[in-house]
Amino acid sequence: KNLVYYVAKVCKIQDNDYEVSFMRKKSATQYIFSLPDIPDLATVLKEDIKMILPKPIEHGSTSRLQNSFYSFDVNFADLCVY
């Protein structure tokens, strides 16, 4: 059984609850992410957060989507990241 990890932006913290907006991978082979047009919001517990990522590197936006793309100075190669 493989562990699956998701990248999210923390929007709000209240006690041990974190409101997050999940990011989407741009492609299956690259670790570049974007926030979807319709936020994918959820509340997660602090103990379910496995890693705090460094400040993202912004890659600009597309003319069609107006969303920026982000990457992180982290090696995701050994992790199952969606």
Side-chain angles (χ1 to χ4, degrees):
K1 184 176 174 179
N2 290 335
L3 292 177
V4 176
Y5 298 94
Y6 296 91
V7 175
K9 175 183 177 182
V10 175
C11 301
K12 183 170 131 183
I13 302 171
Q14 187 171 345
D15 300 321
N16 277 344
D17 292 334
Y18 287 66
E19 184 179 299
V20 301
S21 180
F22 289 104
M23 301 180 92
R24 300 282 186 260
K25 266 176 67 173
K26 182 178 174 186
S27 75
T29 58
Q30 294 180 318
Y31 294 102
I32 296 177
F33 302 88
S34 67
L35 288 165
D37 291 334
I38 299 172
D40 183 2
L41 300 173
T43 301
V44 296
L45 297 173
K46 183 178 181 178
E47 57 263 21
D48 291 334
I49 296 173
K50 302 304 178 199
M51 179 188 297
I52 297 174
L53 297 171
K55 185 176 178 173
I57 301 162
E58 190 170 349
H59 296 280
S61 61
T62 65
S63 58
R64 193 182 100 225
L65 294 176
Q66 303 300 318
N67 277 351
S68 294
F69 294 102
Y70 304 93
S71 64
F72 299 90
D73 192 18
V74 173
N75 184 355
F76 291 110
D78 294 333
L79 302 172
C80 185
V81 177
Y82 284 95

